[in-house]
Amino acid sequence: MIEIRNVYKSFGPLEVLKGVNLSVEKGEVVSVIGGSGSGKSTLLTCINGLEPINSGTILVDGVEVHAKTTDLNLLRRKIGIVFQQFNAFPHLTVLENVTLAPRKVLGMSKAAAEEIAVKQLTHVGLADKLSVYPGRLSGGQQQRMAIARALAMSPAYVLFDEVTSALDPQLVGEVLDTLKLLANEGMTMICVTHEMSFARDVSDRVAFFHKGVLAEIAPPDQFFSAPQHPETREFLSNIR
Amino acid sequence: MFNYTFQWRQALQKLPLLLDGALVTLQIALMSMAMGIVFAVILAVARNSRSTLVSAPATAWVEVSRNTPALFQIYMAHFGLGSFGIHLSPYIALLAGITFNNAGYLAETFRGALRAIPGTQLRAARSLGMPSLQAFRLVIMPQMFRIAFLPTTNQMVWAILMTSLGVTVGMNSDLAGVTQDINVRSFRTFEIFAIAAVIYYLIAKAVTLGARLMAARLFRY
Ligand SMILES: Nc1ncnc2c1ncn2[C@@H]1O[C@H](COP(=O)(O)OP(=O)(O)O)[C@@H](O)[C@H]1O
Ligand SMILES: [Mg+2]
């Protein structure tokens, strides 16, 4: 379970998170929507401890992410994150990209890591690209590889940060399908997204990030048909 | 006009000696590069440190090595340290001087290369649970070496040529040292130096060519 309690976070004078609260249960899929530059990416990178916070607490399975005594490297093994910009490692083949962390971080043998990697890459439809370098892949393929790379660590949670935003429109579908597949398998996910139909169809709850807080969190039916907050209503009417 | 008769045959008899010297030259250049690269990686990272205690000495090293003559750097390693009671043989002093120089130049090359790698690469690696050193070693450094490969090759050629400065601290076993020795004994100055120059040229060309082949094998992405 991920528990975000009253989290504040600033970059210098710029306060980005102003008391964020959110709990995500095991197996739940939560979509986060909101304007760009509002702090959604920041929130995700706070959850895996890439960014420090100013106050509040974030607990992952009861472990306080920003406590001094927390071993972040250990904690990150169970929190996968997939970024908007793919971040494929260009000097490694697709297979090496995916086996790197299982081998070097988890200490798996090459054979064991490759077995897992092939399984994950097959899952995302890249079984025929194992020995290809990422530079040869389309954006959608790179992003699916990044998803396989995160999943190869067998994380308990996966955070998706606008994973389709950098893709050409015709490639969005293949990545969203991969996400749907994961959601149906019961993966616990927080998805920052601009894809409203995805948020509606796949999420257990949808959250609206506005002015540094999650202004509204509700199941998709309610969120889209009867939003409580005027800001949510305005946001939704603007994107339609 | 001039009464110097070329005696190539006599000079060419010295070829085995010169080739032995070439081997020493290559050895020093290779070792100075290997050590220079290690120091340069450390310097490049140290220069980016937020702590002045770490970045200042690194900056000083880079500044001095790039803005003073290589000859002085080798001189300092031999005679300069000698005045502090640290006596380095000509061989070691030459090696130290060139290593110092290599490290300084390569540090700047590497620092530029590091800047060209998106910061998101490190974030992605850290997100997979890699400690910072491991992330640097496995994800950042290989990309850095690729970007810096050509300038590093140039430095290797420069290191080979710099070894000739060793004669000024009494180095007599490298190509320049051997050449000088033969010269003072035989006075076949032109022939000997011409042959030595050709050997330097061939080594330098071989290094460049070898590097190109290595790059093709190493960097397939
Ligand atoms: N490392 C950083 N240093 C300074 N400002 C940052 C940094 N990262 C993000 N910001 C700023 O924080 C705000 C929120 O950014 P971000 O979390 O990326 O927003 P979103 O993902 O919602 O588009 C933006 O104004 C951005 O410019
Ligand atoms: Mg963002």
Side-chain angles (χ1 to χ4, degrees):
Chain A
M1 181 175 176
I2 296 176
E3 296 164 87
I4 301 167
R5 292 187 195 147
N6 211 24
V7 166
Y8 285 78
K9 158 84 187 168
S10 304
F11 292 110
L14 177 71
E15 194 169 47
V16 179
L17 306 182
K18 302 173 184 174
V20 174
N21 287 287
L22 175 68
S23 287
V24 180
E25 302 284 344
K26 265 267 155 68
E28 211 182 1
V29 177
V30 175
S31 288
V32 178
I33 64 174
S36 75
S38 60
K40 305 181 300 298
S41 298
T42 304
L43 179 62
L44 293 190
T45 48
C46 286
I47 294 173
N48 81 348
L50 274 180
E51 289 287 351
I53 58 176
N54 294 68
S55 66
T57 45
I58 299 177
L59 300 170
V60 174
D61 292 341
V63 175
E64 194 178 337
V65 176
H66 295 89
K68 278 211 170 61
T69 50
T70 298
D71 182 347
L72 278 176
N73 297 323
L74 202 63
L75 190 70
R76 284 178 188 142
R77 293 179 191 182
K78 66 164 134 185
I79 311 170
I81 181 162
V82 183
F83 299 94
Q84 187 176 342
Q85 316 88 329
F86 327 140
N87 300 340
F89 301 141
H91 60 298
L92 301 177
T93 63
V94 167
L95 186 63
E96 289 165 344
N97 258 274
V98 180
T99 55
L100 184 70
R103 289 181 64 192
K104 303 296 177 174
V105 175
L106 301 180
M108 276 187 199
S109 71
K110 188 164 182 252
E114 283 182 350
E115 194 185 320
I116 290 176
V118 169
K119 194 180 121 215
Q120 292 300 346
L121 284 165
T122 306
H123 207 60
V124 299
L126 290 175
D128 57 337
K129 302 285 181 193
L130 300 183
S131 54
V132 171
Y133 285 93
R136 292 278 177 81
L137 298 180
S138 73
Q141 290 169 329
Q142 286 192 49
Q143 192 58 294
R144 284 185 279 138
M145 185 203 78
I147 293 171
R149 190 170 71 182
L151 295 177
M153 294 293 283
S154 313
Y157 309 93
V158 188
L159 317 176
F160 294 92
D161 189 5
E162 295 191 35
V163 291
T164 57
S165 294
L167 297 177
D168 293 336
Q170 72 271 21
L171 300 177
V172 168
E174 61 187 69
V175 173
L176 287 184
D177 286 345
T178 305
L179 259 59
K180 278 179 198 158
L181 201 67
L182 279 176
N184 290 336
E185 288 168 359
M187 177 59 81
T188 311
M189 303 163 40
I190 301 180
C191 309
V192 171
T193 185
H194 288 305
E195 299 291 332
M196 292 308 141
S197 61
F198 172 83
R200 188 200 321 261
D201 298 344
V202 179
S203 325
D204 297 303
R205 285 185 297 155
V206 182
F208 177 52
F209 195 99
H210 183 68
K211 290 192 172 156
V213 296
L214 289 173
E216 180 159 1
I217 309 175
D221 294 347
Q222 185 190 328
F223 186 93
F224 288 104
S225 56
Q228 302 296 298
H229 284 252
E231 292 92 351
T232 317
R233 255 173 261 149
E234 191 182 335
F235 184 82
L236 289 175
S237 67
N238 281 340
I239 55 170
R240 276 190 193 127
Chain B
M1 249 167 62
F2 59 93
N3 49 8
Y4 186 91
T5 27
F6 294 107
Q7 297 191 7
W8 289 102
R9 184 169 308 184
Q10 190 195 335
L12 278 169
Q13 277 166 2
K14 306 290 186 191
L15 195 57
L17 282 178
L18 291 170
L19 290 177
D20 283 348
L23 221 56
V24 174
T25 285
L26 198 59
Q27 192 182 45
I28 294 178
L30 280 171
M31 283 195 291
S32 74
M33 279 302 284
M35 291 190 290
I37 287 171
V38 173
F39 283 122
V41 172
I42 298 168
L43 289 175
V45 174
R47 285 201 79 185
N48 286 337
S49 168
R50 254 170 264 158
S51 150
T52 324
L53 213 67
V54 176
S55 67
T59 303
W61 181 327
V62 170
E63 286 292 313
V64 172
S65 64
R66 287 166 56 93
N67 298 298
T68 62
L71 176 66
F72 290 14
Q73 293 165 22
I74 295 161
Y75 243 65
M76 287 307 258
H78 190 65
F79 302 114
L81 291 179
S83 7
F84 292 99
I86 305 166
H87 296 284
L88 303 182
S89 70
Y91 186 99
I92 300 294
L94 180 61
L95 183 59
I98 300 175
T99 300
F100 178 79
N101 188 276
N102 284 345
Y105 273 90
L106 291 175
E108 279 303 87
T109 304
F110 291 170
R111 200 160 71 112
L114 286 179
R115 268 204 224 108
I117 301 168
T120 48
Q121 286 282 308
L122 186 63
R123 285 167 88 82
R126 297 303 307 273
S127 296
L128 289 165
M130 292 185 207
S132 54
L133 212 64
Q134 192 181 45
F136 182 78
R137 190 166 54 81
L138 297 174
V139 174
I140 305 301
M141 218 162 61
Q143 298 186 54
M144 178 190 86
F145 280 134
R146 179 185 179 154
I147 299 168
F149 193 78
L150 255 174
T152 303
T153 311
N154 293 342
Q155 186 67 27
M156 173 69 190
V157 170
W158 183 228
I160 289 165
L161 304 183
M162 270 194 290
T163 57
S164 64
L165 297 171
V167 290
T168 62
V169 293
M171 182 74 188
N172 58 10
S173 57
D174 71 319
L175 182 52
V178 171
T179 307
Q180 182 73 313
D181 260 12
I182 298 172
N183 177 45
V184 296
R185 272 187 265 127
S186 70
F187 299 107
R188 303 315 316 168
T189 306
F190 181 84
E191 294 89 328
I192 289 294
F193 274 87
I195 293 168
V198 168
I199 297 175
Y200 274 116
Y201 182 89
L202 291 177
I203 299 175
K205 278 290 156 190
V207 163
T208 312
L209 192 71
R212 220 171 275 159
L213 293 175
M214 202 166 116
R217 281 203 65 115
L218 233 50
F219 308 128
R220 266 177 280 187
Y221 60 98

